[in-house]
């Protein structure tokens, strides 16, 4: 299992960061190291990860800010904070953001490994219990991601691949903000102007598909992205 797990590691201390990366890779975790919070979030937006380890005190963006941004596009990925502080307030702040665990420096590599594996076991068990089938309810619609079908009553609409991927990301973030740049990088592979215009066209198509249910709305969030609103 470990060989398939990709970890995003954000640590501004290059010595500690390299040491942690080498240790995790020796344990067969594929590990990508970023040295500041901004790079960490941009990397997360463009690649697929299974686990995130964030140093709290980082330049450009601190770990708490990065975690908040990650949670806007992925609410389930495990996040562990590393910090030199042991203040109760920081610990509570981390868990309020959605941290799965919190490790205070200095710590042993073995302790980190034990925590990571424990969280992965819990995550795997939860996923097995949910038996995710990629069929979602959106108001009066049934959205079958695997078959690329949007069903309303007896009517079925076959979605294009990009419509399907875009609706999937919107559904995962239902009633929350889907970051524009994240969606562009995830589906088009680049967040340039022309891909942005293309995405706007597909958003308009999805609005048309969903129009039969007046309780559903896809709205623009200026400067951020889109929100799929469902009553």
């Amino acid at each position: 299992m470990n060989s398939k797990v990709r970890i995003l590691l954000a640590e501004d201390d290059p010595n500690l960061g390299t040491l942690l990366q080498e240790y995790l890779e020796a344990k067969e975790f594929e590990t990508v190291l970023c040295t500041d919070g901004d790079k960490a979030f941009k990397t997360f937006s463009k690649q697929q990860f299974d686990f995130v380890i964030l140093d709290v005190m980082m330049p450009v963006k601190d770990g708490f800010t990065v975690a908040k941004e990650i949670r806007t596009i992925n609410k389930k990925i495990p996040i562990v904070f590393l910090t030199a502080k042991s203040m109760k307030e920081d610990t509570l702040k981390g868990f309020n953001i959605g941290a799965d665990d919190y490790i205070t420096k200095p710590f042993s590599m073995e302790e980190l490994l034990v925590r990571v594996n424990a969280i992965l076991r819990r995550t795997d068990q939860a996923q097995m219990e949910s038996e995710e089938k990629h069929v979602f309810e959106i108001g009066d619609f049934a959205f079958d991601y695997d078959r690329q079908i949007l069903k309303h009553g007896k009517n079925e609409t076959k979605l294009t691949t990009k419509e399907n991927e875009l609706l999937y990301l919107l559904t995962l973030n239902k009633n929350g903000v889907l970051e524009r740049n994240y969606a562009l990088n995830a589906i088009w592979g680049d967040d340039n102007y022309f891909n942005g215009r293309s995405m706007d066209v597909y958003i308009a198509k999805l609005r048309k598909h969903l129009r039969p249910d007046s309780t559903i709305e896809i709205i623009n969030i200026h400067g951020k992205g889109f929100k799929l609103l469902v009553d």
Side-chain angles (χ1 to χ4, degrees):
M1 179 190 73
N2 285 3
S3 61
K4 298 179 181 179
V5 174
R6 298 192 79 234
I7 294 179
L8 174 64
L9 170 63
E11 169 58 64
D12 67 318
D13 181 334
N15 294 326
L16 178 58
T18 302
L19 199 64
L20 288 171
Q21 182 182 30
E22 290 175 352
Y23 177 80
L24 290 167
E25 287 182 343
K27 298 299 179 182
E28 299 185 357
F29 293 99
E30 187 179 343
T31 307
V32 177
L33 174 63
C34 296
T35 53
D36 70 58
D38 187 54
K39 288 177 185 173
F41 180 67
K42 286 178 179 175
T43 301
F44 184 86
S45 299
K46 294 178 181 178
Q47 300 181 34
Q48 291 294 318
F49 290 97
D50 306 296
F51 204 98
V52 179
I53 300 173
L54 298 173
D55 184 24
V56 171
M57 301 301 292
M58 287 189 293
V60 190
K61 283 182 184 175
D62 63 54
F64 292 137
T65 302
V66 179
K68 283 180 182 176
E69 292 177 340
I70 285 174
R71 281 287 177 250
T72 66
I73 55 179
N74 190 322
K75 292 177 170 52
K76 294 184 178 179
I77 191 165
I79 297 176
V80 170
F81 283 115
L82 308 178
T83 181
K85 294 182 178 179
S86 57
M87 293 173 61
K88 184 179 178 182
E89 291 80 5
D90 277 355
T91 307
L92 291 174
K93 185 176 180 181
F95 284 119
N96 284 336
I97 290 170
D100 292 85
D101 211 338
Y102 207 97
I103 303 178
T104 304
K105 299 176 185 176
F107 56 86
S108 69
M109 298 290 180
E110 291 77 11
E111 180 188 1
L112 176 63
L113 181 64
V114 167
R115 304 266 192 115
V116 169
N117 281 327
I119 292 167
L120 286 172
R121 279 195 298 272
R122 289 202 304 269
T123 306
D124 288 345
Q125 183 64 29
Q127 192 167 351
M128 285 170 61
E129 288 172 358
S130 68
E131 291 186 5
E132 188 176 15
K133 295 175 183 174
H134 293 119
V135 177
F136 305 91
E137 286 185 12
I138 309 173
D140 291 336
F141 285 89
F143 169 41
D144 189 328
Y145 172 72
D146 294 326
R147 295 171 61 216
Q148 294 188 204
I149 287 174
L150 188 62
K151 189 174 181 180
H152 185 258
K154 295 181 180 179
N155 297 320
E156 287 190 357
T157 301
K158 181 68 175 178
L159 301 174
T160 66
T161 299
K162 282 190 168 55
E163 286 173 343
N164 194 58
E165 295 299 327
L166 192 51
L167 184 56
Y168 179 62
L169 291 183
L170 285 164
T171 303
L172 290 180
N173 293 277
K174 188 166 66 175
N175 295 321
V177 178
L178 171 63
E179 298 277 345
R180 184 180 182 86
N181 288 349
Y182 172 76
L184 284 169
N185 282 306
I187 300 172
W188 277 264
D190 195 307
D191 57 1
N192 64 43
Y193 171 80
F194 299 102
N195 288 339
R197 294 300 298 272
S198 175
M199 183 165 70
D200 291 336
V201 171
Y202 282 100
I203 287 287
K205 288 181 178 180
L206 288 177
R207 285 182 175 132
K208 187 176 180 181
H209 291 324
L210 296 167
R211 193 175 294 159
D213 187 343
S214 61
T215 68
I216 302 171
E217 189 178 5
I218 301 175
I219 63 171
N220 293 338
I221 307 297
H222 183 69
K224 290 188 176 182
F226 303 98
K227 185 182 285 191
L228 174 64
L229 291 177
V230 182
D231 285 349

